[in-house]
Every structure is written in structure tokens, then in C-alpha cells.
Amino acid sequence: ESAQLERLYSEAEFDITDSSSPERLRAYAAMVQELVDTIREDREPTVGGADGRSAVALCVAAAASARSGRREAVDSADAR
């Protein structure tokens, strides 16, 4: 007998091709708000540049892996 998991959270559905969808813009609004808060509160950002570079390096490796069908290393030089 398989156990069923209770769904605790669901993203709102939206059409990714609809550029006017407020759901599509939520992540951008959060980034801009973080920038404003960082400046107003005279503090370091919650997520810094190194974190962003690491995320991009991971995405580049994932895209390369999808193309090649093999494991791809994350370039640590890009992640710094």
C-alpha cells in the first residue's frame, strides 16, 4: 500500500508566455525589493554576487549536461 503525501504548497498556475502575468514577475519584484531594502538599511545583500555566480555556473553545467547526456563538472572558476 503506497502512502500518499499531502501537498503543503502549490504555485499559482500561469501562462509563461503571458508577459503581463503578475505571477511571472513576482521573482523580479522580490529582487528589486531586496535591492531597495539593502540600500535603505545600509547592509550587505542577503544573497551576494558569489552566490549568483555559483548559481549561474550550476545552470551552465546543467545545460551542458542536457546537451551532452553526460555528467558535467561545475566550473569552480565561474563559481567564485
Side-chain angles (χ1 to χ4, degrees):
E1 190 174 321
S2 66
Q4 290 202 352
L5 300 176
E6 177 184 1
R7 181 173 295 277
L8 300 176
Y9 176 79
S10 294
E11 286 285 332
E13 290 189 30
F14 66 98
D15 178 0
I16 196 166
T17 63
D18 179 5
S19 62
S20 66
S21 169
E23 291 298 321
R24 183 174 182 213
L25 302 176
R26 187 179 357 179
Y28 299 110
M31 287 188 293
V32 171
Q33 187 62 58
E34 169 66 10
L35 174 63
V36 170
D37 292 345
T38 298
I39 294 168
R40 293 176 92 185
E41 297 168 10
D42 191 28
R43 63 173 172 82
E44 291 294 315
T46 303
V47 177
D51 295 320
R53 286 190 297 276
S54 293
V56 170
L58 181 63
C59 290
V60 168
S65 177
R67 283 191 302 275
S68 71
R70 296 185 307 270
R71 288 183 183 182
E72 298 287 339
V74 176
D75 188 343
S76 61
D78 289 340
R80 282 188 253 137

